[in-house]
Amino acid sequence: MASLQSLRGMVDLLPAQISIWQHIEAVAREHFRRAAVQEIRTPLLEVTELFARGIGEATDVVGKEMYTFLDRGERSCTLRPEGTASAVRAVIEHGLLSQGPQRLWYGGPMFRYERPQAGRQRQFHQIGLELLGVADARSDVEAIAIAWDLLADLGVGGLALELNTLGSPDDRIRYRERLVAWLEAHRDGLDPDSQARINTNPLRVLDSKVPQTQATLAAAPPLAASLSAESRARFEQVQAGLAALEIPVQLNPRLVRGLDYYSHTAFEITSSQLGAQATVCGGGRYDGLVQQLGGPPTPAIGWALGMERLVLLLAQMPAAAAAGAPAPLDLYVVSRGEAAEALVLPLARQGRAAGLAVECDTSGAAFGKQFKRADRSGARFAAVIGDAEAAAAEVVLKDLRQHQAEQRLPIAALVDWLVQQRAGGSA
RNA sequence: GCGGGCGUAGCCAAGUGGUUAAGGCAGCGGCUUGUGGCGCCGCCAUUCGGGGGUUCAAGUCCCCUCGCUCGCCCCA
């Protein structure tokens, strides 16, 4: 095999798949516009330290999944594994918070060096939301509602919103101590991975999928018991807010997220139809992150949505997939003969200037071939220009989608006629 | 990083040691050098991801390697 291939886990998006992506992006953009959320674009490449400090050294993402290399200046650089750290860095760097709370969204590729499987790639795409500067539980509710409504509007069915609270940093420290002590005492009932995690990332032991570990954990002290009154009240406010919006919630006390910066609200929107990688959208509150990265103390909440997983879900829903279908061509120009061929590009350009989608056949092939391609192009009309038409400055217009007599009209009148046809809801 | 499944044309795919590697879709040419969608005819893999080995004989068996895929882990 001498031919070149894309790198493992790096996937091409071919023209046939693009329309659904553009559809999702357009719907997301519109939801963000309505919610007064502005786009931010940051570099794909950042200094490694940003992620190490932001996401947490003990996390898997930082520990083993980053694309990290030295650039020519010997700086350690990393392809972003997620969007929050970059967005926060940019906000701090440009002093945006001095202008008040920031409502931001971003989209684009992320990179994690993992083994690819269904719904998991090394380069994948996320759309994410970050609401910075507001501590109130209502902003948690708003952030979640934006994600929920966006997914609903796209026509994704069968989703569940799983919700938990991780408590305040103090709650967590207190709980962590209790949990570690308990885990140490019940070490024998845990799988090796979980045993190893007792000291590095004990909270993650809670959502282990190993049945034996889960059985052991049934008697473990719950995080809820370590929550302060304030944290508990806050969690209740979030739940009440979601209930008021009639967004159904599934409380999941085992939901712990993999990135260190989360506190209080943590949530995931999952689908049972995605195989092992069930999370379409995940996020939570990260009140400590901005300060940790050198900014002013700033409460924040955000989420990220996995585009590939969303596309996977949408592909299972014919109605939603159809919504993303591209608009058909208005005109396909078929021509033959030197004089005729000279008229094609000027005609196409005039049509395009008027907003029509026009393709011309420049193959010089037999009419039969050109008509075949015209048909396949999906165009509504074919314009035919041969020697006779060129001499008379006319075109023969053929309706490719309905049986109707061909008509002949001046070449100068064609574009107007088509524009009118389209405006008139020509069925 | 660990485990299972798989790799035959652009795509789907038959083939389970024995002469020339089915078939379908797409593509190209023709029937039709001014008319597509239907039909018919023809063309389209010196070679089965790559390398090595076993054998008189390998797409088929063995080893290595690369890739894809599903799961573990982790997460979007």
Side-chain angles (χ1 to χ4, degrees):
Chain A
M1 166 154 335
S3 62
L4 266 27
Q5 300 180 21
S6 70
L7 250 15
R8 161 166 246 199
M10 307 281 174
V11 176
D12 296 311
L13 292 172
L14 302 178
Q17 322 165 250
I18 285 296
S19 61
I20 187 74
W21 281 71
Q22 291 183 338
H23 177 238
I24 293 169
E25 287 158 4
V27 172
R29 220 172 270 281
E30 175 61 11
H31 275 252
F32 290 133
R33 185 190 69 77
R34 294 182 197 174
V37 177
Q38 297 197 292
E39 182 175 5
I40 185 169
R41 301 192 190 189
T42 65
L44 272 51
L45 201 58
E46 298 273 3
V47 167
T48 302
E49 190 190 351
L50 171 63
F51 303 115
R53 240 164 71 188
I55 300 172
E57 302 274 5
T59 62
D60 284 330
V61 169
V62 171
K64 54 186 195 190
E65 295 173 0
M66 296 204 301
Y67 273 91
T68 296
F69 60 93
L70 290 180
D71 72 5
R72 293 178 186 235
E74 307 280 297
R75 281 170 294 253
S76 182
C77 304
T78 296
L79 248 16
R80 65 181 187 191
E82 56 105 49
T84 301
S86 302
V88 168
R89 193 224 81 233
V91 162
I92 295 170
E93 186 171 333
H94 298 96
L96 262 35
L97 286 163
S98 62
Q99 299 164 33
Q102 297 291 307
R103 300 166 65 83
L104 305 171
W105 73 273
Y106 61 83
M110 307 292 164
F111 303 82
R112 289 184 200 171
Y113 196 94
E114 299 182 86
R115 208 120 165 218
Q117 68 183 69
R120 193 173 82 184
Q121 297 166 190
R122 290 184 171 180
Q123 176 178 334
F124 60 102
H125 298 79
Q126 292 185 335
I127 289 179
L129 170 77
E130 315 289 355
L131 301 180
L132 297 116
V134 180
D136 196 275
R138 283 174 295 173
S139 76
D140 302 42
V141 174
E142 184 182 20
I144 292 172
I146 291 171
W148 186 260
D149 291 343
L150 169 56
L151 291 167
D153 199 13
L154 283 166
V156 190
L159 295 177
L161 168 61
E162 299 185 33
L163 186 72
N164 192 22
T165 180
L166 305 174
S168 69
D170 284 349
D171 296 340
R172 232 162 123 179
I173 290 167
R174 232 174 325 124
Y175 177 59
R176 189 184 157 118
E177 281 167 15
R178 287 180 64 178
L179 181 63
V180 169
W182 190 90
L183 291 173
E184 291 288 7
H186 298 78
R187 181 173 271 276
D188 293 346
L190 305 175
D191 61 281
D193 272 347
S194 295
Q195 291 180 5
R197 224 170 258 143
I198 292 176
N199 297 310
T200 55
N201 206 341
L203 292 231
R204 291 220 55 82
V205 175
L206 292 181
D207 69 352
S208 164
K209 283 177 193 162
V210 179
Q212 171 216 0
T213 298
Q214 277 304 334
T216 305
L217 252 28
L223 183 117
S226 296
L227 253 32
S228 66
E230 292 83 0
S231 296
R232 200 166 305 137
R234 192 176 194 293
F235 190 40
E236 275 158 18
Q237 283 167 21
V238 172
Q239 292 175 65
L242 290 167
L245 297 180
E246 295 179 328
I247 296 175
V249 168
Q250 246 170 257
L251 293 183
N252 178 0
R254 298 259 188 258
L255 176 63
V256 174
R257 301 196 37 85
L259 278 34
D260 277 359
Y261 52 60
Y262 289 115
S263 57
H264 292 294
T265 303
F267 72 95
E268 290 186 0
I269 298 176
T270 58
S271 166
S272 55
Q273 303 186 60
L274 278 176
Q277 310 300 326
T279 305
V280 189
C281 179
R285 179 155 283 279
Y286 51 95
D287 291 343
L289 182 64
V290 178
Q291 187 169 25
Q292 195 177 327
L293 291 177
T298 307
I301 183 160
W303 48 253
L305 183 153
M307 286 288 283
E308 281 79 4
R309 292 180 188 176
L310 188 48
V311 168
L312 240 38
L313 285 175
L314 249 25
Q316 297 170 11
M317 306 182 185
L329 283 179
D330 296 298
L331 182 68
Y332 190 100
V333 185
V334 164
S335 63
R336 199 121 160 83
E338 211 174 303
E341 285 167 1
L343 297 172
V344 169
L345 256 18
L347 173 62
R349 190 149 86 132
Q350 191 197 345
R352 290 167 184 166
L356 300 173
V358 183
E359 181 174 353
C360 353
D361 198 311
T362 52
S363 68
F367 270 121
K369 289 289 148 200
Q370 295 196 45
F371 271 102
K372 189 167 182 169
R373 282 193 280 264
D375 182 46
R376 299 247 165 124
S377 77
R380 169 79 200 278
F381 293 102
V384 190
I385 311 177
D387 294 331
E389 289 78 16
E394 292 180 335
V395 299
V396 165
L397 190 66
K398 183 185 177 80
D399 190 325
L400 292 170
R401 305 298 148 208
Q402 305 179 20
H403 291 288
Q404 264 178 20
E406 292 179 359
Q407 52 179 316
R408 209 164 244 283
L409 63 174
I411 198 164
L414 177 63
V415 168
D416 281 348
W417 189 89
L418 287 171
V419 168
Q420 235 171 351
Q421 203 47 213
R422 205 163 79 152
S426 54

